[in-house]
Amino acid sequence: MRVLGIESSCDETAVAVYDDADGLLAHRLHSQVAMHQAYGGVVPELASRDHVRRLLPLVREVLAASGSDEASIDALAYTAGPGLIGALLVGEAFATALSVAWAKPAIGIHHLEGHLLAPLLEANPPDFPFLALLVSGGHTQLIDVAGLGKYRILGDTLDDAAGEAFDKTAKLLGLPYPGGAALASLAEGGRSGEFTFPRPMLDRPGLDFSFSGLKTAALVALRGRELSPVLRADVARGFEEAVVETLAEKCRRALKQTGHQRLVIAGGVGANRRLRDRLRSVVRDQDAELYFPRTEFCTDNGAMIALAGCLRFTAGMRAGVGMGARANWELGSIGV
Ligand code: KG4
Ligand code: ZN
């Protein structure tokens, strides 16, 4: 089974071919970051138009790079949601048109299912069941993953997502959008302990998160002071440590609560080195194992969508077919 996967939920156009026998054969991505940077965030209409421009050339490239053609592709998978509705509709229209033209089935994939299955693209993939920490620009969730399509949300953010908090704080520090990775490198030069920001929700039981207070704490720390390189680095360090510590403690509690032996990190913030290092020590203390995708598959990519599509097709699960793109879509409700 060979699947062509298409991701267009936000500001990356990404395409990949995944084969159940040979693994990932090719993947390509076009990032719109430079286009949106002038506006300090993603402009949905510009995103949709750029997906229209990029998809066909990327699909041609990936087909050539993977040695695939109409005859060797068995099925199509595209991101049906959640995301920007215009951007999603471009991917869906494209995949549906190709599906009709090639007479091959197409399936709509949940973007977050793609993210949490991404570690299965790696050489030493986790077996089911596992606990997943999904930390992206739009989501911060702890998920009990019993199997493909069997997802139970254990904890969620009450306000900002972890990536959103990174991006907003990065903006305060004068970094361009999206600032997560830039804030992380700024924090490398910062001093630990110069600023101790609150660890949101750690004083309460449960597995939910809240990050909106952190950017306010960063704002207060910066207020009335000259934005010197040392101050920026120290605030970045204090902020990153607060987020990492909060995520790590919730993961520790969730592992204990579920008894899972495997922890998967997925989503853009999963690329954060300090978070990975901290979670390594959490799993060590709990006799569990840590799994994460390579950095380029932490952030949005087509490989995770092609993989999720391939797994669903080979398991005979076609729940997403013909269900249409949607901006909001609960992961816990997608089923098998
Ligand atoms: O998963 P993703 O590519 O897109 C969504 O589905 O949201 O995640 C993007 C998020 C952005 O907020 C970005 O700033 C953040 O991931 N991010 C990072 C790092 N790399 C990307 N945050 C912290 N540290 C990083 N190294
Ligand atoms: Zn994503």
Side-chain angles (χ1 to χ4, degrees):
M1 159 74 62
R2 190 172 285 196
V3 176
L4 176 69
I6 293 169
E7 154 64 33
S8 71
S9 65
C10 189
D11 58 349
E12 258 109 23
T13 320
V15 181
V17 171
Y18 187 90
D19 187 294
D20 64 345
D22 302 321
L24 184 64
L25 297 179
H27 62 102
R28 292 285 187 281
L29 178 145
H30 174 78
S31 167
Q32 303 178 353
V33 161
M35 185 178 77
H36 296 295
Q37 236 159 25
Y39 306 93
V42 178
V43 183
E45 181 60 25
L46 292 183
S48 309
R49 291 177 191 204
D50 205 53
H51 288 307
V52 173
R53 274 192 293 273
R54 305 287 173 181
L55 260 176
L56 188 55
L58 278 178
V59 166
R60 287 207 170 105
E61 248 184 75
V62 163
L63 288 175
S66 64
S68 310
D69 56 16
E70 179 183 338
S72 53
I73 296 290
D74 299 302
L76 299 133
Y78 65 95
T79 303
L84 301 173
I85 191 64
L88 292 166
L89 283 167
V90 173
E92 181 177 60
F94 189 96
T96 308
L98 210 52
S99 152
V100 171
W102 286 359
K104 305 287 163 82
I107 188 173
I109 296 295
H110 194 292
H111 181 77
L112 300 183
E113 175 172 67
H115 272 305
L116 65 85
L117 295 176
L120 275 64
L121 290 162
E122 303 304 338
N124 174 29
D127 288 326
F128 294 120
F130 55 77
L131 174 73
L133 172 69
L134 190 64
V135 269
S136 70
H139 294 83
T140 304
Q141 293 182 326
L142 272 163
I143 304 160
D144 189 328
V145 179
L148 185 64
K150 295 180 183 152
Y151 310 124
R152 193 162 60 89
I153 313 296
L154 303 174
D156 209 335
T157 182
L158 304 178
D159 41 56
D160 290 356
E164 194 179 354
F166 263 96
D167 294 341
K168 287 177 176 172
T169 305
K171 202 169 184 174
L172 294 176
L173 292 168
L175 298 167
Y177 178 87
L183 189 153
S185 26
L186 189 60
E188 289 298 315
R191 292 166 295 177
S192 177
E194 279 301 303
F195 289 95
T196 306
F197 292 119
R199 270 62 173 151
M201 311 285 286
L202 285 195
D203 51 345
R204 282 183 243 172
L207 299 171
D208 286 332
F209 304 93
S210 163
F211 288 112
S212 68
L214 266 180
K215 66 169 186 299
T216 315
L219 187 64
V220 170
L222 294 168
R223 191 174 289 155
R225 302 176 70 167
E226 191 200 336
L227 205 58
S228 70
V230 173
L231 176 66
R232 289 170 75 228
D234 287 345
V235 168
R237 180 69 181 260
F239 167 84
E240 188 183 49
E241 282 179 352
V243 175
V244 166
E245 208 40 58
T246 305
L247 293 172
E249 172 57 19
K250 297 283 172 159
C251 285
R252 193 193 63 77
R253 288 184 196 172
L255 281 172
K256 209 164 172 192
Q257 185 179 310
T258 58
H260 279 314
Q261 298 291 297
R262 288 173 283 268
L263 173 64
V264 157
I265 329 175
V269 183
N272 187 277
R273 194 192 53 77
R274 202 177 301 280
L275 176 63
R276 291 183 175 195
D277 289 348
R278 185 67 187 84
L279 290 177
R280 267 192 204 99
S281 76
V282 168
V283 295
R284 206 181 308 122
D285 292 346
Q286 311 249 339
D287 282 330
E289 289 209 60
L290 184 64
Y291 299 86
F292 45 79
R294 71 195 86 161
T295 310
E296 64 182 319
F297 294 155
C298 275
T299 45
D300 290 350
N301 65 85
M304 66 185 193
I305 302 303
L307 167 75
C310 191
L311 293 175
R312 280 189 168 265
F313 274 112
T314 47
M317 299 178 188
R318 300 195 176 186
V321 177
M323 286 168 69
R326 70 215 80 169
N328 299 306
W329 189 7
E330 285 299 320
L331 180 66
S333 71
I334 65 175
V336 294

